[in-house]
């Protein structure tokens, strides 16, 4: 068995997008409209847990749960620099636009676009509210929902100039060791949370059928070692920080 840290290096955004898409597709194929609704509710559960974890880390470190701190304590980083993002405005609200999204491109590559729509409808807004119910995120457009880009506006967050924005970026980088989780962790959490969400909506037997089908399909695409690593990772307690 490959050690966790070695196998984790083989995971990236593509794996996370595929794992999610395969789970949602299995739910759709096995349960139709009930499965689609269950995927939406399971996605909210998954995103809520992520947002709460971020808040726990920020509070532990003595930071207020502001929109700026949310962005600093986000749990993922694009270390391969494949995402493309531009700043649309610094004030009165910070607004950014993603012009290239690896999640969206991966869903298109594997014909999972239908399920990416569910993810992007719920994930970001749910995480923001789980981090702090008083915060808000306005999504003007998302590529997976047919938009030209991923246009996000953050009420309550503004920057005087580009230097102030870069300072937040530097602080985010300094928090990487305590905030960012690798994509094996994110894949494991996706299987865990979605599975628990399906169990709530469709019963444990239904959840087991969905997860089993999705992981078998993931195994066929990416190999048994990676599939088994995801299964082991999914057994963690994802409320812990």
């Amino acid at each position: 068995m490959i050690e966790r840290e070695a196998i984790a290096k083989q995971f990236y955004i593509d794996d996370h997008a595929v794992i999610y898409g395969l789970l949602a597709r299995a739910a759709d194929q096995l349960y139709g409209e009930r499965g689609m609704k269950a995927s939406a509710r399971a996605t909210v559960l998954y995103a809520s847990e992520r947002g709460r974890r971020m808040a726990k880390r920020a509070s532990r470190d003595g930071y207020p749960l502001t929109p700026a701190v949310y962005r600093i304590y986000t749990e993922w980083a694009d270390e391969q620099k494949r995402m493309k993002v531009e700043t649309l405005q610094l004030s009165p609200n910070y607004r950014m636009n993603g012009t290239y999204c690896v999640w969206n491109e991966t869903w298109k590559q594997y014909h999972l676009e239908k399920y990416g729509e569910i993810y992007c409808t719920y994930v970001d807004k749910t995480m923001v509210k789980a981090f702090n119910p008083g915060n808000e995120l306005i999504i003007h457009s998302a590529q997976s929902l047919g938009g030209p880009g991923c246009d996000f506006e953050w009420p309550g967050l503004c920057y005087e100039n580009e230097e102030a924005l870069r300072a937040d970026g530097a602080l985010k980088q300094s928090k990487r060791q305590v905030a960012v989780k690798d994509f094996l962790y994110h894949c494991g959490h996706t299987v865990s949370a979605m599975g628990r969400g399906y169990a709530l909506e469709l019963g444990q037997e239904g959840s087991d059928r969905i997860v089993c089908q999705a992981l078998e399909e993931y195994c066929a695409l990416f190999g048994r070692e990676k599939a088994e690593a995801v299964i082991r990772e999914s057994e963690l307690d994802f409320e812990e920080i």
Side-chain angles (χ1 to χ4, degrees):
M1 184 176 70
I2 300 177
E3 290 186 4
R4 186 207 179 277
E5 294 311 309
I7 194 74
K9 293 176 182 177
Q10 299 180 31
F11 284 80
Y12 205 60
I13 295 170
D14 319 67
D15 297 274
H16 186 244
V18 170
I19 284 274
Y20 177 87
L22 293 177
L23 286 163
R25 186 172 71 182
D28 184 16
Q29 290 175 342
L30 292 168
Y31 295 99
E33 186 60 30
R34 287 179 64 213
M36 292 290 283
K37 290 179 180 178
S39 288
R41 291 166 181 163
T43 302
V44 169
L45 173 64
Y46 163 76
S48 296
E49 291 179 357
R50 279 182 63 179
R52 289 197 297 269
R53 277 198 310 265
M54 291 163 59
K56 287 178 183 178
R57 292 190 187 97
S59 296
R60 175 198 61 195
D61 295 344
Y63 287 93
L65 302 182
T66 63
V69 172
Y70 174 93
R71 296 186 69 245
I72 290 165
Y73 274 81
T74 186
E75 288 191 322
W76 69 277
D78 178 23
E79 295 183 343
Q80 296 180 12
K81 307 299 182 188
R82 292 166 59 190
M83 305 284 281
K84 292 183 175 23
V85 179
E86 62 184 3
T87 297
L88 296 180
Q89 63 184 40
L90 296 173
S91 64
N93 293 328
Y94 175 65
R95 188 170 172 181
M96 52 170 278
N97 183 47
T99 58
Y100 183 89
C101 174
V102 180
W103 275 275
N104 189 54
E105 294 303 315
T106 303
W107 288 322
K108 289 194 291 186
Q109 179 184 349
Y110 290 94
H111 309 291
L112 297 167
E113 303 100 305
K114 177 180 180 180
Y115 310 106
E117 292 179 15
I118 304 173
Y119 187 88
C120 293
T121 296
Y122 295 101
V123 160
D124 290 291
K125 285 194 170 188
T126 301
M127 285 195 296
V128 166
K129 288 296 184 182
F131 182 80
N132 181 347
N135 292 346
E136 183 182 2
L137 172 64
I138 300 170
I139 300 179
H140 294 281
S141 70
Q143 291 179 344
S144 64
L145 300 173
C150 298
D151 182 347
F152 289 9
E153 181 178 353
W154 298 84
L157 174 60
C158 67
Y159 296 99
E160 271 189 41
N161 48 43
E162 290 284 346
E163 184 178 350
L165 177 61
R166 286 193 295 271
D168 264 9
L171 181 56
K172 177 179 176 178
Q173 183 61 27
S174 75
K175 296 295 180 183
R176 188 195 176 288
Q177 292 299 319
V178 297
V180 172
K181 309 297 289 184
D182 60 42
F183 279 97
L184 172 54
Y185 178 91
H186 288 303
C187 288
H189 182 212
T190 300
V191 170
S192 171
M194 296 293 287
R196 286 181 278 115
Y198 289 134
L200 290 172
E201 298 297 323
L202 302 169
Q204 190 60 53
E205 182 179 349
S207 174
D208 291 345
R209 290 182 68 199
I210 292 166
V211 172
C212 182
Q213 177 175 314
L215 288 175
E216 285 178 356
E217 292 174 346
Y218 179 83
C219 179
L221 290 170
F222 294 98
R224 183 155 302 280
E225 286 182 333
K226 289 184 74 173
E228 290 177 349
V230 172
I231 293 169
R232 290 193 298 272
E233 197 78 4
S234 72
E235 296 170 355
L236 297 177
D237 180 352
F238 293 97
E239 293 284 356
E240 288 187 349
I241 61 169

